[in-house]
Structures are given as C-alpha cells and as structure tokens.
Amino acid sequence: YADRVYFLPVTPEFVTEVIKRERPDGILCTFGGQTGLNCGVKLNEQGVFEKYGVRVMGTPIKAIITTEDRDLFAKAVEHCGYKVAESSCCSTVEEAVEAGKQIGYPVLVRAAFALGGLGSGFASDEQELKALVNQAFVNSPQVIVDKSLKGWKELEYEVVRDASNNCITVCNMENFDPMGIHTGDSIVIAPSQTLTNEEYFRLRECALKV
C-alpha cells in the first residue's frame, strides 16, 4: 500500500514537486504509458533525478530514448541483424514530402513521442501527406514517414530482462486486426493463434536480441 497518493498531472513540474517533498530513493518511468515515459526523459534532461539522488529503476532512460526515437531504434534493430520498414525522420514539411517521394506511396505518417498514435495516418499522395504532417507537428517536434505495412499481421512479445541480462518472454500477443488499425482500437489475443512453431521461435529470438 502507498503511504500517500497524489492526484496530479504527470508533468515534469508536478513530479519535481512530489520528488522534493517525498525524496524517493528510486522511480519507475515505465508506469503511466507514453505520458510517464516522456515525463521521465524530461526530468532526466533537466537534471532532477541527479539533483535529488533519485535512481531510475527498471528500464533506463537511455533505453527509453532509443525506443522512442525512431531513427535510433532503427539503428539498434539493424545492429542486432534485423530490418525495419524503410522510414525517414523529418522535422519540416519539406523533408516529409521528400521522404514520401523517396519511399513511395502509400506511406504511414507518425508523430514521434505522441500518445496513442496521435497525429498518425496513411497518405496515398503528397496532398494527404502534407495534411497529416501539419497535424502531426502540432503534437510532436518530429514526424516519421514510414513505408506502409497496412494489412500485415501485428504481433508483440513481452520480454522481461534483469540487470545481469537474463531474460524471458512472458508471452506473445497477436492483434485481431491487421496493421492499419490502432492497437488501442483493436483486440489483442494471447498467445498468438496464426503463427507456425517455426515463426513463433524466430520472432521470439528476434525479440530477445533486440
């Protein structure tokens, strides 16, 4: 049970005040979804954790940044020997338009560091791309233009890893709907139902490596 519960917005300003008051030994940034992750990264950048001697437990800040920054994540996956869909990280509308031409339509436009796919969508031409990019920049400073994988299967593996690099896959999950339907609007089934044994273990090996 918690000694005290705070009903406050999960923002750097409010969390800093709670840290000042409570002086915790550690903090878990992975509770609270995207909001908690973004807040943890900001607090680290502002030096709040170091100032008050707060240890980040569980997933380290560096790993959060790597998984949230699509460019860094793509490089990390390629380092493990796997491929990701062709994509480009853009900070202007002009860069996004050029990325669309290079990758080829249709493309997926995504806002980085955003909640629940906010500002994301599929574009089949330059006009649709510009509309989505302008919307995405309202919520994020970075926009990712990806090769469209609409209609592909969407699968997830829950991996737990400790400080000694021991890791297990708790379970794997399969979205009832294909790529193109946001996970939050779909149904997830665990364990997956349509993978062969070979496919299951091949994807498991990939999840453990990454």
Side-chain angles (χ1 to χ4, degrees):
Y1 297 100
D3 296 319
R4 273 176 292 279
V5 177
Y6 290 85
F7 289 94
L8 297 170
V10 182
T11 64
E13 296 75 22
F14 281 103
V15 175
T16 298
E17 290 303 313
V18 173
I19 289 173
K20 282 182 186 177
R21 181 170 180 174
E22 297 294 342
R23 299 300 174 103
D25 295 319
I27 188 169
L28 284 160
C29 300
T30 47
F31 286 91
Q34 192 72 54
T35 302
L37 296 175
N38 291 351
C39 184
V41 171
K42 284 290 184 184
L43 290 169
N44 185 69
E45 289 175 352
Q46 294 170 6
V48 174
F49 297 146
E50 184 178 359
K51 180 178 179 180
Y52 295 102
V54 180
R55 178 189 172 198
V56 177
M57 304 171 69
T59 306
I61 295 294
K62 182 181 178 182
I64 293 172
I65 293 172
T66 300
T67 54
E68 291 299 300
D69 186 303
R70 311 299 168 143
D71 191 34
L72 291 176
F73 180 71
K75 289 177 181 176
V77 172
E78 288 172 3
H79 179 73
C80 295
Y82 296 98
K83 296 180 180 179
V84 296
E86 186 180 356
S87 67
S88 178
C89 297
C90 310
S91 54
T92 66
V93 175
E94 291 74 22
E95 287 180 4
V97 170
E98 185 59 31
K101 292 177 182 177
Q102 292 291 327
I103 295 170
Y105 293 98
V107 294
L108 170 64
V109 176
R110 295 186 291 170
F113 306 99
L115 292 166
L118 196 64
S120 300
F122 292 94
S124 56
D125 55 42
E126 186 174 315
Q127 185 177 352
E128 291 181 3
L129 175 71
K130 287 181 177 178
L132 283 169
V133 169
N134 283 317
Q135 180 186 349
F137 276 135
V138 173
N139 305 299
S140 173
Q142 184 188 64
V143 167
I144 301 94
V145 179
D146 290 317
K147 181 178 178 64
S148 174
L149 301 180
K150 197 171 187 177
W152 287 38
K153 289 182 183 180
E154 185 170 354
L155 300 124
E156 302 173 38
Y157 280 73
E158 291 290 334
V159 178
V160 178
R161 189 186 308 269
D162 66 15
S164 300
N165 205 33
N166 298 306
C167 57
I168 58 170
T169 51
V170 180
C171 71
N172 84 314
M173 297 170 285
E174 181 174 5
N175 276 35
F176 181 78
D177 294 297
M179 295 279 282
I181 306 297
H182 187 261
T183 305
D185 299 321
S186 184
I187 299 169
V188 178
I189 301 166
S192 59
Q193 301 295 302
T194 66
L195 293 179
T196 65
N197 200 46
E198 181 185 353
E199 289 170 337
Y200 169 83
F201 279 102
R202 190 168 61 190
L203 289 170
R204 178 181 179 274
E205 180 184 18
C206 173
L208 291 172
K209 282 184 179 179
V210 174

